[in-house]
Amino acid sequence: MSAPVEVVLCADSAGQLFNCAVFDPHSGSEFLSYSGGNTSSRSLTVLNGEYILGAQLGKNFINVWEIQRKDQLQQKIVCPGIVTCLCASPDGLCVLAGIAEAIYLWEMSTGNLLAILSRHYQDVSCICFTDDGSHFVSGGKDNLALIWNLSSVVQLDSSRTPEPRHILSRHSLPITDIHCGLMGPQARVATASLDQTVKVWEISSGEMLLSVLFNVGIMSVTFDPCEYFLFCGGSDGNIFQVSLCSTSINRDKTFQMDSDGNEVFKGHRNLVTCLSVSMDGTLLLSGSNDETVRMWDVQSK
């Protein structure tokens, strides 16, 4: 068995050259590309390392590609409505899709619909599993982020309506992105919002640990693997690096560049829609509406 290789998977919403493609993060060379349609934001996911799933922009189906197939034959999964966000569980057993205000949960081996969760009041904008697949977090245009226990959602008693474990209601404008850290049910989760804040929460208690205020709306958020830093993509194209190791005990902060590790990555000319950090924490990857994907050296910016 060959050693695992870290790659970049990205989608082009215009769909002119490809729908999505796999790149080498060190050389920038293209390994594979998958054509047919175009994928909407927050709806590209990998299923069990074998399939790529991408929700078609503005249409009610999901495109499916087998990663290793050379002929690139495409399959389509028809859905009850337009998919606004999509996420596969880490073990590949199930897939979550946001369709209007509801979250649909499917078992992939059988195709069975396991649950429809209707606790958001407006469209679901983003969804994310914890690294062990025990919980997932959904964010919506209703300003709410909901923490769900997967085992309580997948239950045999059909008379009971599944309820979220915690309701995170401290944002004042729509949620734009969610990122779950490591440690499963003990993880921390970051939520970004158009209200110009990023908030960090504890999944087990639902308690807010930190709120950082910026001068622009935040469109994307991620941790580095060690969770020393929080990276936040702004609507102005800037990426803000926030130190999580500050000695300050104040939970509400305003972003300021300082010697504690708070920095700004400047280069994008439009809103930053997605962020990811390499497994060794040295590289930051960003995608933007300026039609570029950029690779940053975290140390030198």
Side-chain angles (χ1 to χ4, degrees), residues 15-26:
Q16 295 179 350
L17 297 177
F18 49 75
N19 185 313
C20 53
V22 179
F23 293 92
D24 182 341
H26 303 290

Side-chain angles (χ1 to χ4, degrees), residues 208-212 243 246-254:
M208 191 186 79
L209 305 176
L210 177 67
S211 178
V212 184
S243 173
S246 170
T247 55
S248 171
I249 59 173
N250 187 6
R251 293 191 178 189
D252 293 283
K253 299 181 180 181
T254 299

Side-chain angles (χ1 to χ4, degrees), residues 19-20 35-40 42-47 51-66 73-88 94-99 104-106 108 113:
N19 185 313
C20 53
S35 59
N38 47 352
T39 298
S40 61
R42 306 269 175 266
S43 63
L44 184 69
T45 189
V46 177
L47 180 66
Y51 298 92
I52 295 174
L53 278 63
Q56 176 65 29
L57 182 64
K59 300 291 180 64
N60 66 328
F61 60 84
I62 298 168
N63 296 309
V64 182
W65 298 270
E66 191 173 347
L73 286 176
Q74 198 175 332
Q75 300 179 44
K76 290 181 171 65
I77 300 173
V78 179
C79 299
I82 295 174
V83 177
T84 54
C85 52
L86 188 68
C87 185
C94 56
V95 164
L96 293 164
I99 300 175
Y104 287 70
L105 172 65
W106 286 283
M108 291 309 294
L113 179 62

Side-chain angles (χ1 to χ4, degrees), residues 7-12 17-24 28-35 39 44 46 52 65 72 285 293:
V7 297
V8 175
L9 174 64
C10 63
D12 177 6
L17 297 177
F18 49 75
N19 185 313
C20 53
V22 179
F23 293 92
D24 182 341
S29 60
E30 182 183 308
F31 286 143
L32 294 165
S33 63
Y34 305 89
S35 59
T39 298
L44 184 69
V46 177
I52 295 174
W65 298 270
Q72 304 300 319
L285 187 72
V293 174

Side-chain angles (χ1 to χ4, degrees), residues 5 9 12 37 40-41 51 59 64 81 102 125 138 148 171 179 181 184-185 206 215 233 249-250 267 284 287 294 296:
V5 177
L9 174 64
D12 177 6
S40 61
S41 179
Y51 298 92
K59 300 291 180 64
V64 182
S125 55
S138 60
W148 302 86
H171 284 291
H179 180 77
N215 60 1
I249 59 173
N250 187 6
L284 172 67
R294 296 181 184 242
W296 310 81

Side-chain angles (χ1 to χ4, degrees), residues 98-288:
I99 300 175
E101 305 99 35
I103 301 167
Y104 287 70
L105 172 65
W106 286 283
E107 183 179 41
M108 291 309 294
S109 60
T110 63
N112 290 338
L113 179 62
L114 300 179
I116 301 176
L117 309 173
S118 302
R119 281 303 308 271
H120 282 284
Y121 305 107
Q122 295 185 47
D123 288 359
V124 182
S125 55
C126 45
I127 201 158
C128 181
F129 270 103
T130 56
D131 62 326
D132 67 343
S134 65
H135 291 72
F136 60 90
V137 187
S138 60
K141 292 183 178 180
D142 55 5
N143 314 344
L144 298 177
L146 308 180
I147 298 176
W148 302 86
N149 187 320
L150 183 62
S151 62
S152 68
V153 168
V154 183
Q155 53 186 327
L156 298 177
D157 186 0
S158 59
S159 63
R160 292 177 55 200
T161 302
E163 292 291 327
R165 181 175 176 182
H166 299 294
I167 298 175
L168 314 179
S169 58
R170 301 281 289 272
H171 284 291
S172 58
L173 285 174
I175 308 290
T176 54
D177 196 18
I178 291 172
H179 180 77
C180 291
L182 303 177
M183 297 294 289
Q186 302 301 318
R188 296 183 292 182
V189 60
T191 56
S193 172
L194 293 177
D195 66 7
Q196 304 187 352
T197 69
V198 169
K199 301 184 190 297
V200 179
W201 315 78
E202 189 176 60
I203 284 184
S204 59
S205 66
E207 181 183 359
M208 191 186 79
L209 305 176
L210 177 67
S211 178
V212 184
L213 176 65
F214 301 87
N215 60 1
V216 295
I218 302 299
M219 310 305 298
S220 52
V221 66
T222 192
F223 292 120
D224 70 322
C226 294
E227 298 184 21
Y228 291 155
F229 297 107
L230 189 65
F231 297 95
C232 312
S235 57
D236 62 350
N238 288 333
I239 302 169
F240 307 97
Q241 174 183 304
V242 180
S243 173
L244 297 177
C245 300
S246 170
T247 55
S248 171
I249 59 173
N250 187 6
R251 293 191 178 189
D252 293 283
K253 299 181 180 181
T254 299
F255 178 83
Q256 293 178 330
M257 292 179 59
D258 55 34
S259 58
D260 288 340
N262 295 342
E263 299 282 355
V264 180
F265 297 75
K266 295 179 178 290
H268 283 299
R269 300 182 304 278
N270 207 327
L271 52 89
V272 180
T273 56
C274 49
L275 292 169
S276 182
V277 181
S278 63
M279 290 305 298
D280 61 5
T282 62
L283 297 175
L284 172 67
L285 187 72
S286 60
S288 168

